[in-house]
mmCIF file of all heavy atoms in Angstrom:
data_model
loop_
_atom_site.group_PDB
_atom_site.id
_atom_site.type_symbol
_atom_site.label_atom_id
_atom_site.label_comp_id
_atom_site.label_asym_id
_atom_site.label_seq_id
_atom_site.Cartn_x
_atom_site.Cartn_y
_atom_site.Cartn_z
ATOM 1 N N LEU A 1 -1.652 -13.492 4.546
ATOM 2 C CA LEU A 1 -0.310 -13.111 5.038
ATOM 3 C C LEU A 1 -0.361 -12.284 6.299
ATOM 4 O O LEU A 1 0.265 -11.240 6.396
ATOM 5 C CB LEU A 1 0.442 -12.303 3.803
ATOM 6 C CG LEU A 1 0.672 -13.053 2.607
ATOM 7 C CD1 LEU A 1 1.422 -12.059 1.674
ATOM 8 C CD2 LEU A 1 1.711 -14.199 2.863
ATOM 9 N N MET A 2 -1.230 -12.708 7.195
ATOM 10 C CA MET A 2 -1.398 -11.917 8.433
ATOM 11 C C MET A 2 -0.147 -11.726 9.267
ATOM 12 O O MET A 2 0.090 -10.619 9.834
ATOM 13 C CB MET A 2 -2.557 -12.567 9.343
ATOM 14 C CG MET A 2 -3.888 -12.558 8.608
ATOM 15 S SD MET A 2 -5.257 -12.926 9.692
ATOM 16 C CE MET A 2 -4.858 -14.681 9.954
ATOM 17 N N TRP A 3 0.720 -12.663 9.305
ATOM 18 C CA TRP A 3 1.892 -12.505 10.062
ATOM 19 C C TRP A 3 2.872 -11.527 9.264
ATOM 20 O O TRP A 3 3.412 -10.594 9.807
ATOM 21 C CB TRP A 3 2.607 -13.900 10.253
ATOM 22 C CG TRP A 3 4.040 -13.814 10.876
ATOM 23 C CD1 TRP A 3 5.256 -13.546 10.257
ATOM 24 C CD2 TRP A 3 4.318 -13.935 12.244
ATOM 25 N NE1 TRP A 3 6.231 -13.507 11.146
ATOM 26 C CE2 TRP A 3 5.735 -13.823 12.286
ATOM 27 C CE3 TRP A 3 3.602 -14.203 13.338
ATOM 28 C CZ2 TRP A 3 6.446 -13.919 13.616
ATOM 29 C CZ3 TRP A 3 4.303 -14.334 14.607
ATOM 30 C CH2 TRP A 3 5.740 -14.148 14.656
ATOM 31 N N GLN A 4 2.973 -11.692 8.031
ATOM 32 C CA GLN A 4 3.870 -11.024 7.237
ATOM 33 C C GLN A 4 3.401 -9.552 6.994
ATOM 34 O O GLN A 4 4.174 -8.619 6.698
ATOM 35 C CB GLN A 4 3.940 -11.608 5.797
ATOM 36 C CG GLN A 4 4.584 -13.033 5.773
ATOM 37 C CD GLN A 4 3.535 -14.238 5.998
ATOM 38 O OE1 GLN A 4 2.533 -13.866 6.523
ATOM 39 N NE2 GLN A 4 3.889 -15.426 5.602
ATOM 40 N N HIS A 5 2.062 -9.221 7.124
ATOM 41 C CA HIS A 5 1.520 -7.900 6.905
ATOM 42 C C HIS A 5 1.663 -7.102 8.196
ATOM 43 O O HIS A 5 0.948 -5.961 8.169
ATOM 44 C CB HIS A 5 0.190 -7.896 6.421
ATOM 45 C CG HIS A 5 0.063 -8.266 4.971
ATOM 46 N ND1 HIS A 5 -0.891 -9.076 4.380
ATOM 47 C CD2 HIS A 5 0.793 -7.757 3.892
ATOM 48 C CE1 HIS A 5 -0.696 -9.050 3.091
ATOM 49 N NE2 HIS A 5 0.229 -8.326 2.676
ATOM 50 N N ALA A 6 2.353 -7.479 9.246
ATOM 51 C CA ALA A 6 2.233 -6.954 10.603
ATOM 52 C C ALA A 6 2.614 -5.411 10.399
ATOM 53 O O ALA A 6 2.014 -4.496 11.143
ATOM 54 C CB ALA A 6 3.294 -7.594 11.530
ATOM 55 N N TYR A 7 3.554 -4.983 9.625
ATOM 56 C CA TYR A 7 4.065 -3.604 9.474
ATOM 57 C C TYR A 7 3.810 -3.114 8.011
ATOM 58 O O TYR A 7 4.420 -2.068 7.627
ATOM 59 C CB TYR A 7 5.514 -3.501 9.915
ATOM 60 C CG TYR A 7 5.629 -3.574 11.429
ATOM 61 C CD1 TYR A 7 6.011 -4.694 11.964
ATOM 62 C CD2 TYR A 7 5.326 -2.396 12.161
ATOM 63 C CE1 TYR A 7 6.134 -4.888 13.382
ATOM 64 C CE2 TYR A 7 5.384 -2.506 13.587
ATOM 65 C CZ TYR A 7 5.835 -3.677 14.174
ATOM 66 O OH TYR A 7 5.928 -3.705 15.564
ATOM 67 N N SER A 8 3.056 -3.785 7.250
ATOM 68 C CA SER A 8 2.789 -3.338 5.830
ATOM 69 C C SER A 8 1.799 -2.102 5.748
ATOM 70 O O SER A 8 0.967 -1.933 6.678
ATOM 71 C CB SER A 8 2.068 -4.413 5.063
ATOM 72 O OG SER A 8 2.922 -5.621 5.058
ATOM 73 N N GLU A 9 1.998 -1.280 4.772
ATOM 74 C CA GLU A 9 1.116 -0.252 4.568
ATOM 75 C C GLU A 9 -0.126 -0.862 3.684
ATOM 76 O O GLU A 9 0.214 -1.711 2.717
ATOM 77 C CB GLU A 9 1.739 0.950 3.734
ATOM 78 C CG GLU A 9 2.735 1.693 4.546
ATOM 79 C CD GLU A 9 2.102 2.322 5.800
ATOM 80 O OE1 GLU A 9 0.910 2.795 5.675
ATOM 81 O OE2 GLU A 9 2.853 2.439 6.825
ATOM 82 N N PHE A 10 -1.336 -0.461 3.881
ATOM 83 C CA PHE A 10 -2.457 -0.977 3.181
ATOM 84 C C PHE A 10 -2.984 0.139 2.133
ATOM 85 O O PHE A 10 -3.051 1.302 2.538
ATOM 86 C CB PHE A 10 -3.573 -1.426 4.122
ATOM 87 C CG PHE A 10 -3.184 -2.600 4.946
ATOM 88 C CD1 PHE A 10 -4.037 -2.935 6.028
ATOM 89 C CD2 PHE A 10 -2.095 -3.355 4.778
ATOM 90 C CE1 PHE A 10 -3.785 -4.080 6.763
ATOM 91 C CE2 PHE A 10 -1.745 -4.397 5.582
ATOM 92 C CZ PHE A 10 -2.617 -4.771 6.552
ATOM 93 N N TYR A 11 -3.360 -0.342 0.984
ATOM 94 C CA TYR A 11 -3.958 0.553 -0.017
ATOM 95 C C TYR A 11 -5.230 -0.191 -0.646
ATOM 96 O O TYR A 11 -5.054 -1.279 -1.183
ATOM 97 C CB TYR A 11 -2.900 0.901 -1.154
ATOM 98 C CG TYR A 11 -3.506 1.756 -2.134
ATOM 99 C CD1 TYR A 11 -3.561 3.151 -2.088
ATOM 100 C CD2 TYR A 11 -4.025 1.172 -3.429
ATOM 101 C CE1 TYR A 11 -4.129 3.886 -3.027
ATOM 102 C CE2 TYR A 11 -4.484 1.993 -4.450
ATOM 103 C CZ TYR A 11 -4.528 3.269 -4.300
ATOM 104 O OH TYR A 11 -4.983 4.052 -5.321
ATOM 105 N N PHE A 12 -6.336 0.528 -0.438
ATOM 106 C CA PHE A 12 -7.525 -0.092 -1.041
ATOM 107 C C PHE A 12 -8.093 0.751 -2.154
ATOM 108 O O PHE A 12 -8.170 1.935 -2.081
ATOM 109 C CB PHE A 12 -8.625 -0.292 0.124
ATOM 110 C CG PHE A 12 -8.222 -1.094 1.300
ATOM 111 C CD1 PHE A 12 -7.790 -0.476 2.528
ATOM 112 C CD2 PHE A 12 -8.079 -2.441 1.229
ATOM 113 C CE1 PHE A 12 -7.441 -1.223 3.547
ATOM 114 C CE2 PHE A 12 -7.769 -3.191 2.333
ATOM 115 C CZ PHE A 12 -7.305 -2.538 3.442
ATOM 116 N N THR A 13 -8.495 0.187 -3.252
ATOM 117 C CA THR A 13 -8.994 0.786 -4.318
ATOM 118 C C THR A 13 -10.274 0.099 -4.766
ATOM 119 O O THR A 13 -10.478 -1.067 -4.651
ATOM 120 C CB THR A 13 -7.946 0.784 -5.503
ATOM 121 O OG1 THR A 13 -8.678 1.320 -6.729
ATOM 122 C CG2 THR A 13 -7.470 -0.604 -5.942
ATOM 123 N N LYS A 14 -11.254 0.869 -5.325
ATOM 124 C CA LYS A 14 -12.564 0.404 -5.817
ATOM 125 C C LYS A 14 -12.318 -0.179 -7.239
ATOM 126 O O LYS A 14 -13.228 -0.908 -7.743
ATOM 127 C CB LYS A 14 -13.578 1.492 -5.865
ATOM 128 C CG LYS A 14 -13.932 1.961 -4.381
ATOM 129 C CD LYS A 14 -15.074 2.953 -4.546
ATOM 130 C CE LYS A 14 -15.437 3.421 -3.118
ATOM 131 N NZ LYS A 14 -16.520 4.456 -3.161
ATOM 132 N N THR A 15 -11.201 -0.060 -7.823
ATOM 133 C CA THR A 15 -10.979 -0.621 -9.196
ATOM 134 C C THR A 15 -10.902 -2.159 -9.089
ATOM 135 O O THR A 15 -10.115 -2.659 -8.330
ATOM 136 C CB THR A 15 -9.680 -0.094 -9.745
ATOM 137 O OG1 THR A 15 -9.707 1.395 -9.786
ATOM 138 C CG2 THR A 15 -9.499 -0.662 -11.087
ATOM 139 N N PRO A 16 -11.719 -2.865 -9.896
ATOM 140 C CA PRO A 16 -11.746 -4.218 -9.915
ATOM 141 C C PRO A 16 -10.422 -4.808 -10.552
ATOM 142 O O PRO A 16 -9.851 -3.955 -11.425
ATOM 143 C CB PRO A 16 -12.933 -4.721 -10.660
ATOM 144 C CG PRO A 16 -13.224 -3.538 -11.582
ATOM 145 C CD PRO A 16 -12.828 -2.269 -10.770
ATOM 146 N N TRP A 17 -10.078 -5.969 -10.198
ATOM 147 C CA TRP A 17 -8.756 -6.435 -10.600
ATOM 148 C C TRP A 17 -8.566 -6.448 -12.083
ATOM 149 O O TRP A 17 -7.516 -5.999 -12.648
ATOM 150 C CB TRP A 17 -8.379 -7.838 -10.079
ATOM 151 C CG TRP A 17 -7.149 -8.352 -10.681
ATOM 152 C CD1 TRP A 17 -7.124 -9.361 -11.435
ATOM 153 C CD2 TRP A 17 -5.901 -7.808 -10.464
ATOM 154 N NE1 TRP A 17 -5.676 -9.595 -11.874
ATOM 155 C CE2 TRP A 17 -4.844 -8.559 -11.296
ATOM 156 C CE3 TRP A 17 -5.332 -6.748 -9.861
ATOM 157 C CZ2 TRP A 17 -3.606 -8.388 -11.285
ATOM 158 C CZ3 TRP A 17 -3.945 -6.509 -9.818
ATOM 159 C CH2 TRP A 17 -3.099 -7.315 -10.560
ATOM 160 N N PRO A 18 -9.545 -6.890 -12.902
ATOM 161 C CA PRO A 18 -9.234 -6.790 -14.408
ATOM 162 C C PRO A 18 -9.091 -5.415 -14.969
ATOM 163 O O PRO A 18 -8.448 -5.371 -15.970
ATOM 164 C CB PRO A 18 -10.590 -7.363 -14.987
ATOM 165 C CG PRO A 18 -11.171 -8.294 -13.961
ATOM 166 C CD PRO A 18 -10.801 -7.525 -12.591
ATOM 167 N N ASP A 19 -9.495 -4.433 -14.315
ATOM 168 C CA ASP A 19 -9.240 -3.087 -14.774
ATOM 169 C C ASP A 19 -7.982 -2.315 -14.035
ATOM 170 O O ASP A 19 -7.792 -1.191 -14.357
ATOM 171 C CB ASP A 19 -10.521 -2.163 -14.460
ATOM 172 C CG ASP A 19 -11.649 -2.464 -15.365
ATOM 173 O OD1 ASP A 19 -11.289 -3.029 -16.564
ATOM 174 O OD2 ASP A 19 -12.791 -2.161 -15.009
ATOM 175 N N PHE A 20 -7.408 -2.992 -13.240
ATOM 176 C CA PHE A 20 -6.235 -2.506 -12.488
ATOM 177 C C PHE A 20 -4.948 -2.463 -13.446
ATOM 178 O O PHE A 20 -4.585 -3.608 -14.014
ATOM 179 C CB PHE A 20 -5.938 -3.397 -11.322
ATOM 180 C CG PHE A 20 -4.872 -2.749 -10.333
ATOM 181 C CD1 PHE A 20 -5.211 -1.887 -9.365
ATOM 182 C CD2 PHE A 20 -3.538 -3.071 -10.375
ATOM 183 C CE1 PHE A 20 -4.282 -1.383 -8.429
ATOM 184 C CE2 PHE A 20 -2.584 -2.577 -9.632
ATOM 185 C CZ PHE A 20 -3.034 -1.614 -8.577
ATOM 186 N N LYS A 21 -4.473 -1.285 -13.722
ATOM 187 C CA LYS A 21 -3.439 -1.071 -14.752
ATOM 188 C C LYS A 21 -2.167 -0.451 -14.124
ATOM 189 O O LYS A 21 -2.110 -0.239 -12.928
ATOM 190 C CB LYS A 21 -3.880 -0.160 -15.795
ATOM 191 C CG LYS A 21 -5.207 -0.737 -16.542
ATOM 192 C CD LYS A 21 -4.952 -2.117 -17.097
ATOM 193 C CE LYS A 21 -6.329 -2.696 -17.657
ATOM 194 N NZ LYS A 21 -6.255 -4.093 -18.086
ATOM 195 N N LYS A 22 -1.209 -0.239 -14.922
ATOM 196 C CA LYS A 22 0.055 0.235 -14.452
ATOM 197 C C LYS A 22 -0.114 1.635 -13.712
ATOM 198 O O LYS A 22 0.546 1.792 -12.616
ATOM 199 C CB LYS A 22 1.038 0.468 -15.555
ATOM 200 C CG LYS A 22 2.394 0.966 -15.118
ATOM 201 C CD LYS A 22 3.383 1.055 -16.376
ATOM 202 C CE LYS A 22 4.798 1.502 -15.855
ATOM 203 N NZ LYS A 22 5.682 1.608 -17.114
ATOM 204 N N GLU A 23 -1.017 2.435 -14.307
ATOM 205 C CA GLU A 23 -1.242 3.814 -13.613
ATOM 206 C C GLU A 23 -1.869 3.671 -12.138
ATOM 207 O O GLU A 23 -1.643 4.443 -11.182
ATOM 208 C CB GLU A 23 -2.043 4.587 -14.483
ATOM 209 C CG GLU A 23 -3.391 4.064 -14.881
ATOM 210 C CD GLU A 23 -3.349 3.375 -16.231
ATOM 211 O OE1 GLU A 23 -2.240 2.858 -16.627
ATOM 212 O OE2 GLU A 23 -4.366 3.326 -16.928
ATOM 213 N N ASP A 24 -2.668 2.481 -11.984
ATOM 214 C CA ASP A 24 -3.216 2.322 -10.680
ATOM 215 C C ASP A 24 -2.097 1.780 -9.788
ATOM 216 O O ASP A 24 -2.117 2.153 -8.577
ATOM 217 C CB ASP A 24 -4.274 1.219 -10.758
ATOM 218 C CG ASP A 24 -5.518 1.705 -11.613
ATOM 219 O OD1 ASP A 24 -6.209 2.610 -11.340
ATOM 220 O OD2 ASP A 24 -5.744 0.981 -12.741
ATOM 221 N N LEU A 25 -1.257 0.978 -10.222
ATOM 222 C CA LEU A 25 -0.089 0.573 -9.392
ATOM 223 C C LEU A 25 0.811 1.720 -9.033
ATOM 224 O O LEU A 25 1.231 1.833 -7.850
ATOM 225 C CB LEU A 25 0.753 -0.461 -10.182
ATOM 226 C CG LEU A 25 1.927 -1.114 -9.471
ATOM 227 C CD1 LEU A 25 1.644 -1.843 -8.239
ATOM 228 C CD2 LEU A 25 2.808 -2.078 -10.485
ATOM 229 N N ILE A 26 1.012 2.645 -9.922
ATOM 230 C CA ILE A 26 1.899 3.832 -9.691
ATOM 231 C C ILE A 26 1.182 4.604 -8.623
ATOM 232 O O ILE A 26 1.837 5.170 -7.704
ATOM 233 C CB ILE A 26 2.237 4.511 -10.883
ATOM 234 C CG1 ILE A 26 3.110 3.720 -11.791
ATOM 235 C CG2 ILE A 26 2.723 5.956 -10.609
ATOM 236 C CD1 ILE A 26 3.351 4.224 -13.229
ATOM 237 N N GLU A 27 -0.176 4.806 -8.667
ATOM 238 C CA GLU A 27 -0.895 5.592 -7.708
ATOM 239 C C GLU A 27 -0.699 5.044 -6.318
ATOM 240 O O GLU A 27 -0.598 5.735 -5.356
ATOM 241 C CB GLU A 27 -2.417 5.728 -8.157
ATOM 242 C CG GLU A 27 -3.213 6.470 -7.099
ATOM 243 C CD GLU A 27 -2.845 7.843 -6.792
ATOM 244 O OE1 GLU A 27 -2.036 8.471 -7.552
ATOM 245 O OE2 GLU A 27 -3.356 8.463 -5.910
ATOM 246 N N ALA A 28 -0.854 3.638 -6.271
ATOM 247 C CA ALA A 28 -0.640 3.017 -4.892
ATOM 248 C C ALA A 28 0.670 3.259 -4.441
ATOM 249 O O ALA A 28 0.876 3.493 -3.243
ATOM 250 C CB ALA A 28 -0.933 1.448 -5.149
ATOM 251 N N ILE A 29 1.697 3.170 -5.163
ATOM 252 C CA ILE A 29 3.084 3.462 -4.785
ATOM 253 C C ILE A 29 3.221 4.915 -4.272
ATOM 254 O O ILE A 29 3.892 5.271 -3.373
ATOM 255 C CB ILE A 29 4.033 3.097 -5.826
ATOM 256 C CG1 ILE A 29 3.975 1.523 -6.080
ATOM 257 C CG2 ILE A 29 5.567 3.577 -5.521
ATOM 258 C CD1 ILE A 29 4.740 1.202 -7.277
ATOM 259 N N ARG A 30 2.535 5.839 -5.028
ATOM 260 C CA ARG A 30 2.646 7.268 -4.746
ATOM 261 C C ARG A 30 2.048 7.492 -3.304
ATOM 262 O O ARG A 30 2.651 8.159 -2.525
ATOM 263 C CB ARG A 30 1.729 8.015 -5.737
ATOM 264 C CG ARG A 30 1.931 9.630 -5.578
ATOM 265 C CD ARG A 30 0.940 10.428 -6.316
ATOM 266 N NE ARG A 30 -0.429 10.064 -5.890
ATOM 267 C CZ ARG A 30 -0.952 10.570 -4.722
ATOM 268 N NH1 ARG A 30 -0.180 11.410 -3.924
ATOM 269 N NH2 ARG A 30 -2.160 10.383 -4.359
ATOM 270 N N VAL A 31 0.907 6.828 -3.002
ATOM 271 C CA VAL A 31 0.300 7.015 -1.740
ATOM 272 C C VAL A 31 1.202 6.341 -0.696
ATOM 273 O O VAL A 31 1.373 6.874 0.383
ATOM 274 C CB VAL A 31 -1.106 6.277 -1.691
ATOM 275 C CG1 VAL A 31 -1.663 6.147 -0.314
ATOM 276 C CG2 VAL A 31 -2.063 7.108 -2.564
ATOM 277 N N TYR A 32 1.813 5.130 -1.038
ATOM 278 C CA TYR A 32 2.728 4.494 -0.177
ATOM 279 C C TYR A 32 3.883 5.491 0.214
ATOM 280 O O TYR A 32 4.327 5.621 1.437
ATOM 281 C CB TYR A 32 3.252 3.201 -0.700
ATOM 282 C CG TYR A 32 4.535 2.614 -0.079
ATOM 283 C CD1 TYR A 32 4.418 1.832 1.025
ATOM 284 C CD2 TYR A 32 5.786 2.884 -0.662
ATOM 285 C CE1 TYR A 32 5.539 1.301 1.608
ATOM 286 C CE2 TYR A 32 6.858 2.363 -0.057
ATOM 287 C CZ TYR A 32 6.777 1.605 1.023
ATOM 288 O OH TYR A 32 7.936 1.029 1.653
ATOM 289 N N THR A 33 4.446 6.181 -0.769
ATOM 290 C CA THR A 33 5.542 6.999 -0.553
ATOM 291 C C THR A 33 5.160 8.207 0.288
ATOM 292 O O THR A 33 6.166 8.641 1.046
ATOM 293 C CB THR A 33 5.982 7.580 -2.031
ATOM 294 O OG1 THR A 33 6.344 6.502 -2.903
ATOM 295 C CG2 THR A 33 7.171 8.611 -1.842
ATOM 296 N N SER A 34 3.963 8.627 0.379
ATOM 297 C CA SER A 34 3.576 9.705 1.239
ATOM 298 C C SER A 34 3.448 9.374 2.677
ATOM 299 O O SER A 34 3.296 10.252 3.602
ATOM 300 C CB SER A 34 2.251 10.333 0.696
ATOM 301 O OG SER A 34 1.169 9.488 1.001
ATOM 302 N N ARG A 35 3.419 8.095 3.017
ATOM 303 C CA ARG A 35 3.257 7.628 4.395
ATOM 304 C C ARG A 35 4.531 7.619 5.135
ATOM 305 O O ARG A 35 5.591 7.383 4.591
ATOM 306 C CB ARG A 35 2.487 6.266 4.390
ATOM 307 C CG ARG A 35 1.160 6.396 3.785
ATOM 308 C CD ARG A 35 0.421 5.032 3.781
ATOM 309 N NE ARG A 35 -0.971 5.165 3.174
ATOM 310 C CZ ARG A 35 -1.785 4.149 2.926
ATOM 311 N NH1 ARG A 35 -1.434 2.924 3.413
ATOM 312 N NH2 ARG A 35 -2.860 4.277 2.437
ATOM 313 N N ASP A 36 4.364 7.709 6.539
ATOM 314 C CA ASP A 36 5.520 7.667 7.268
ATOM 315 C C ASP A 36 5.632 6.382 8.075
ATOM 316 O O ASP A 36 4.804 6.066 8.959
ATOM 317 C CB ASP A 36 5.483 8.900 8.214
ATOM 318 C CG ASP A 36 6.836 8.829 9.196
ATOM 319 O OD1 ASP A 36 7.777 8.272 8.916
ATOM 320 O OD2 ASP A 36 6.605 9.484 10.284
ATOM 321 N N ARG A 37 6.531 5.415 7.709
ATOM 322 C CA ARG A 37 6.540 4.138 8.318
ATOM 323 C C ARG A 37 7.608 4.286 9.579
ATOM 324 O O ARG A 37 8.773 4.358 9.361
ATOM 325 C CB ARG A 37 7.130 3.089 7.433
ATOM 326 C CG ARG A 37 6.205 2.989 6.098
ATOM 327 C CD ARG A 37 6.707 1.951 5.216
ATOM 328 N NE ARG A 37 6.332 0.506 5.651
ATOM 329 C CZ ARG A 37 6.931 -0.510 5.336
ATOM 330 N NH1 ARG A 37 7.962 -0.412 4.390
ATOM 331 N NH2 ARG A 37 6.640 -1.620 5.728
ATOM 332 N N ARG A 38 7.085 4.050 10.660
ATOM 333 C CA ARG A 38 7.899 4.308 12.037
ATOM 334 C C ARG A 38 8.184 3.012 12.798
ATOM 335 O O ARG A 38 8.942 3.005 13.714
ATOM 336 C CB ARG A 38 7.111 5.400 12.850
ATOM 337 C CG ARG A 38 7.053 6.644 12.293
ATOM 338 C CD ARG A 38 6.556 7.733 13.300
ATOM 339 N NE ARG A 38 5.222 7.413 13.817
ATOM 340 C CZ ARG A 38 4.029 7.689 13.191
ATOM 341 N NH1 ARG A 38 4.078 8.435 12.082
ATOM 342 N NH2 ARG A 38 2.972 7.313 13.724
ATOM 343 N N TYR A 39 7.402 1.986 12.412
ATOM 344 C CA TYR A 39 7.549 0.665 13.083
ATOM 345 C C TYR A 39 7.605 0.748 14.583
ATOM 346 O O TYR A 39 8.371 0.199 15.315
ATOM 347 C CB TYR A 39 8.925 -0.034 12.639
ATOM 348 C CG TYR A 39 9.047 -0.223 11.184
ATOM 349 C CD1 TYR A 39 9.674 0.728 10.486
ATOM 350 C CD2 TYR A 39 8.409 -1.427 10.624
ATOM 351 C CE1 TYR A 39 9.774 0.455 8.965
ATOM 352 C CE2 TYR A 39 8.506 -1.580 9.319
ATOM 353 C CZ TYR A 39 9.155 -0.713 8.400
ATOM 354 O OH TYR A 39 9.203 -1.047 7.083
ATOM 355 N N GLY A 40 6.622 1.643 15.105
ATOM 356 C CA GLY A 40 6.412 1.766 16.615
ATOM 357 C C GLY A 40 7.276 2.809 17.212
ATOM 358 O O GLY A 40 7.090 3.170 18.315
ATOM 359 N N ALA A 41 8.187 3.454 16.484
ATOM 360 C CA ALA A 41 8.948 4.504 16.925
ATOM 361 C C ALA A 41 8.265 5.744 16.805
ATOM 362 O O ALA A 41 7.216 5.873 16.229
ATOM 363 C CB ALA A 41 10.383 4.539 16.232
ATOM 364 N N ILE A 42 8.951 6.904 17.336
ATOM 365 C CA ILE A 42 8.471 8.206 17.193
ATOM 366 C C ILE A 42 9.253 8.976 16.228
ATOM 367 O O ILE A 42 10.474 9.035 16.391
ATOM 368 C CB ILE A 42 8.367 8.896 18.590
ATOM 369 C CG1 ILE A 42 7.559 8.159 19.547
ATOM 370 C CG2 ILE A 42 7.942 10.375 18.433
ATOM 371 C CD1 ILE A 42 7.459 8.664 20.985
ATOM 372 N N LYS A 43 8.677 9.641 15.421
ATOM 373 C CA LYS A 43 9.379 10.601 14.438
ATOM 374 C C LYS A 43 9.917 11.692 15.193
ATOM 375 O O LYS A 43 9.199 12.433 15.914
ATOM 376 C CB LYS A 43 8.468 11.044 13.336
ATOM 377 C CG LYS A 43 9.092 11.801 12.184
ATOM 378 C CD LYS A 43 8.276 12.113 10.954
ATOM 379 C CE LYS A 43 8.911 12.827 9.923
ATOM 380 N NZ LYS A 43 8.145 13.223 8.833
#
């Protein structure tokens, strides 16, 4: 999804997929929430 991910936030975890659980998903969202998405603008 290289075109579609142009302005996506990326989150990398060492947890392998079979061990990825709801709490890992929530942690990824928590990190996402802390980021400032400006789409090239200035805050």
